[in-house]
Every structure is written in structure tokens, then in C-alpha cells.
Amino acid sequence: MNIGQAAKASGISGKMIRYYESIGLIASAKRTESGYRIFSEKDVHALRFISRARGLGFSVEQMGNLLALWQDRHRASADVKAVAQAHIEELDLKIKKLQDMRQTLEHLVDHCQGDKRPDCPILSGLAAESVAESVELDVETS
Amino acid sequence: MNIGQAAKASGISGKMIRYYESIGLIASAKRTESGYRIFSEKDVHALRFISRARGLGFSVEQMGNLLALWQDRHRASADVKAVAQAHIEELDLKIKKLQDMRQTLEHLVDHCQGDKRPDCPILSGLAAESVAESVELDVETS
DNA sequence: GTAAAGCTTCCCACTATTGTAAGGTCAAGC
DNA sequence: GCTTGACCTTACAATAGTGGGAAGCTTTAC
């Protein structure tokens, strides 16, 4: 199988397959005499594994660990679970950070008239000593 | 004021101040005869504005728009509100994406014993034709 | 036999930030 | 006046992942 067919079959672009090979995430593919990469079903299977792990937000480094565990028939499921749980915690942190941003911004937006006048609590909020300060000022005067 | 003092006062590293200047986000600072950058209170004010916008997850490009609006005394608050709301939508998309990942992963983790045995629904889930497939298999057999 | 499609490597761009190296400047102490 | 250390300057590299493109070779289809 050529790289293009492996790409279609796995959902990973040819570009990225070459990249993953170059950084050692996957083994170097065999080559034809003329230098074309050859992929087996097993290779595609691994690429699909990677594709799903990426879809769940695992980093390349974490995928390296997961792939090693996947290919180790004597792994303990506890080891896999630990990697997955650590990733859930990372996701939680990111989610919380974004939600905090969202909330602050929403608060500012709620207090903005959004008309033709230039007065804007969003800009005052960004310019204030602290975002809370402007919002509180705003609350006091409303 | 030197760049180091401006950095401390604004919460943006000297490195990043130079970067923001290089990409034109902020105006080029005046220099002493020997080439040191000089920052005024007004400059620091703008840097703090940037610092807060960054904290709310605005991209450099969006900050460019916000700064322009901030410095335009005749802006309409509706324009600012539009930028902010567009950003909230971006945040919502990111949050949703992360939450979806989190949920799928949590589902897999919940079905993993996490002991010394090698059987692991997390790995099967990643290796399956689709993540849902393995989970459903798992549900059927549980 | 020629043209098109697909492969190869290599280099660049992106976001935003940090690190490092080589060198100039300023202020304090002696 | 000179040394020292802290601070400044520019320039280049690296990070993570992905996409884009060029130049050139191979394979396939007609």
C-alpha cells in the first residue's frame, strides 16, 4: 500500500505520516526499490490508533506511551488507565481555564450596550487595573 | 522607563514586548542615544491592556483590533461587543471540543479495571473501528 | 511515448513564547 | 578611572503540529 492509500485508510495525511515517522512515533516504513514507502494492514491499524488518540487530544508524546502499551501484550491495564486519567485531568484544566475566560468576557459583554456610542465596559474592563475593578464600578453605577 | 521596568509594571516579559513591537502590535518605542527603549506610562497602560486581553484568550490579531478600537475615541461600542462575542463563540467551540474528548475518554476509563491484567477497554477503544464500537461491545458484555 | 497522478526530500510558514549567545551600556563601589 | 554585575541590544533556534510548495523521480493510464 502506498502512503496515499494508507492516508485515506487511516485518516492521517501523508504529510503527517512522514512526520510521525521522522520523529520516531512510528517505525520507518519499508521501501520499494525506487524508494516508495510500503504500508501493511498492521501499519494502517497503528495509524488509525494514532488518529483516534489524536482525536481525544493526546499529545504526540502521550501517544508514544499509549502505542508502547498497546504493543506490549503484558502491560497492566492500570498503566493505561493512569495515562488516560492524567490526560483527563489535563483536559479538565484546559476546560476550566477556558470557562473562566468565557465567564469574565461574558460578564463584560453583558454590561456593554452595543450601540453607536463609544462608551464600552469591555474596553474599560481591559484597561482597568483589574478586570473585576471595572465590573464592580459598573455594578455600582448601574 | 526601561524595558525591564515596563515588563514588571505590565506583566508582559521584555521578550514579548520586543516581539509585539516587531510584529507591529504596538508602536516602536523611542530610544535613548545608546539604543535603549524608553517606555512612558501610556505605553505601559497599553501593555497592561494587552496583558488582560491575552488573559482572556484573545489572539494577537484580535488584540490588534481591540487596541485600534480602544484608541479610537469615536468607536461604536457595538463594534467592540461584536469582537468580544465572536471570541466567546470561539471559546464555546473549544470548550465543547474538549468536553467531548473528556466524555469519550471518561467513558473508556470507567470501563477499565485498572489492575495488573493486560485487558484494557481504553486500548481496545482506540484500536476499534470506531471508539463507539468498542464501548458498545463493552456495554453488551457487561 | 507522453501526460497525469503520485511519490520522494527539503524548506518555509504559522502562533506565541522561551532560551541562548555575543556584545554594548549603565550604575555602584573602590 | 576601572572593574563588576545587572541590564540592554540584536539575532537565531526551538517548541508542537500541521499545511503548503518546489524540484525531481516513478508509476500508471491511454
Side-chain angles (χ1 to χ4, degrees):
Chain A
M1 203 186 300
N2 278 341
I3 196 170
Q5 298 167 294
K8 263 191 193 166
S10 66
I12 297 184
S13 69
K15 217 74 176 158
M16 289 312 295
I17 295 175
R18 292 193 194 98
Y19 172 68
Y20 289 148
E21 185 186 291
S22 79
I23 62 171
L25 179 64
I26 55 179
S28 297
K30 288 169 194 166
R31 305 289 186 120
T32 64
E33 280 189 11
S34 58
Y36 280 28
R37 285 177 182 78
I38 309 170
F39 295 87
S40 66
E41 277 302 326
K42 201 178 144 196
D43 295 329
V44 172
H45 204 194
L47 287 172
R48 275 201 290 253
F49 183 98
I50 290 172
S51 173
R52 294 209 191 83
R54 284 302 288 143
L56 292 178
F58 284 98
S59 69
V60 169
E61 193 182 353
Q62 288 170 316
M63 287 194 301
N65 299 334
L66 286 175
L67 275 171
L69 288 168
W70 185 44
Q71 279 148 13
D72 172 10
R73 288 169 185 257
H74 302 298
R75 80 237 159 187
S77 68
D79 293 341
V80 183
K81 195 167 183 170
V83 173
Q85 275 174 330
H87 185 47
I88 287 180
E89 279 167 37
E90 275 177 44
L91 290 175
D92 283 342
L93 276 180
K94 284 188 191 169
I95 290 169
K96 175 150 186 10
K97 209 168 162 185
L98 291 175
Q99 281 175 335
D100 286 350
M101 288 179 186
R102 203 216 117 98
Q103 200 192 340
T104 304
L105 196 51
E106 176 104 278
H107 199 165
L108 291 174
V109 164
D110 283 350
H111 291 266
C112 174
Q113 297 289 336
D115 54 22
K116 288 182 184 171
R117 286 172 297 172
D119 317 276
C120 181
I122 301 171
L123 292 180
S124 334
L126 287 170
E129 288 311 301
S130 78
V131 169
E133 178 188 312
S134 135
V135 168
E136 275 161 37
L137 273 171
D138 189 85
V139 166
E140 280 168 26
T141 58
S142 67
Chain B
M1 202 187 299
N2 278 341
I3 197 170
Q5 298 166 294
K8 262 191 194 166
S10 66
I12 297 185
S13 69
K15 215 77 177 152
M16 288 311 294
I17 295 175
R18 291 192 194 99
Y19 172 68
Y20 288 147
E21 184 187 293
S22 80
I23 62 171
L25 180 63
I26 55 179
S28 297
K30 287 168 192 165
R31 305 289 186 120
T32 64
E33 281 190 11
S34 57
Y36 281 27
R37 286 178 183 77
I38 310 171
F39 295 85
S40 67
E41 278 301 327
K42 201 178 143 196
D43 295 329
V44 170
H45 204 194
L47 287 172
R48 274 201 291 255
F49 183 98
I50 290 171
S51 173
R52 295 207 192 84
R54 282 304 289 139
L56 292 177
F58 284 99
S59 69
V60 169
E61 194 184 352
Q62 289 171 318
M63 288 195 299
N65 298 335
L66 287 175
L67 276 170
L69 287 168
W70 185 45
Q71 278 147 13
D72 173 10
R73 288 168 185 259
H74 302 298
R75 80 232 159 194
S77 67
D79 292 342
V80 183
K81 196 168 183 170
V83 173
Q85 275 174 329
H87 185 47
I88 287 181
E89 279 167 39
E90 275 177 44
L91 290 175
D92 283 343
L93 276 181
K94 284 187 192 170
I95 290 168
K96 174 149 186 11
K97 208 168 161 185
L98 292 174
Q99 281 174 334
D100 286 350
M101 289 179 186
R102 203 217 117 98
Q103 199 192 340
T104 304
L105 197 52
E106 175 105 277
H107 199 164
L108 291 174
V109 164
D110 283 349
H111 291 267
C112 174
Q113 298 289 336
D115 54 22
K116 288 184 184 170
R117 286 172 296 171
D119 316 277
C120 180
I122 300 171
L123 293 180
S124 334
L126 288 170
E129 288 311 301
S130 78
V131 169
E133 178 188 312
S134 133
V135 168
E136 275 160 36
L137 273 171
D138 189 85
V139 166
E140 281 168 26
T141 59
S142 68

